Amino acid sequence: MKKPNPKNEIICLCNNVSRTTIENAIRDGANTLNKIFDTTTAGVGPCGGSCRRKLGPMLETYLTTGAFPEKIVPDMRGKK
Ligand code: FES
C-alpha cells in the first residue's frame, strides 16, 4: 500500500492549499501570516481560517529553526 506523502497534505481545505505550496511560499519570503494569506490564499477561506492553527506553527518553526516540522501540531491557544 502506498504511504501518504505528508508534503501533499492539504493544509487549507477551503482553498485546497497543500503543505508544499505553503512551505515554498515561506521559503520564498512569506515571513508573516498575512504574507502567507496573500501569496497562497491559505487561511482566508470561508471557514474563517481554521487552518491558521497549522500555518502559525509551520511559520514559527521555520523562522526559529530554519526547517519545517515533520508533523504539524496545531496551535490551539485561544481556542476554548
Ligand atoms: S481551511 Fe484554510 S481558511 Fe478554511
Side-chain angles (χ1 to χ4, degrees):
M1 209 169 85
K2 208 170 160 224
K3 253 175 85 182
N5 180 350
K7 296 286 179 193
N8 289 336
E9 178 186 349
I10 299 299
I11 301 292
C12 181
L13 296 172
C14 289
N15 292 340
N16 198 30
V17 185
S18 72
R19 177 167 169 148
T20 305
T21 302
I22 293 162
E23 289 185 356
N24 287 342
I26 294 173
R27 269 195 211 100
D28 287 348
N31 57 2
T32 65
L33 283 178
N34 278 329
K35 288 183 189 171
I36 297 174
F37 303 159
D38 288 347
T39 52
T40 70
T41 74
V44 290
C47 80
S50 63
C51 62
R52 293 178 190 188
R53 283 181 232 139
K54 289 186 176 176
L55 299 177
M58 284 176 76
L59 179 62
E60 224 170 272
T61 305
Y62 185 78
L63 293 179
T64 52
T65 70
F68 292 103
E70 188 67 32
K71 184 172 166 20
I72 302 167
V73 180
D75 180 354
M76 302 308 273
R77 280 177 293 185
K79 279 276 152 198
K80 290 192 182 132

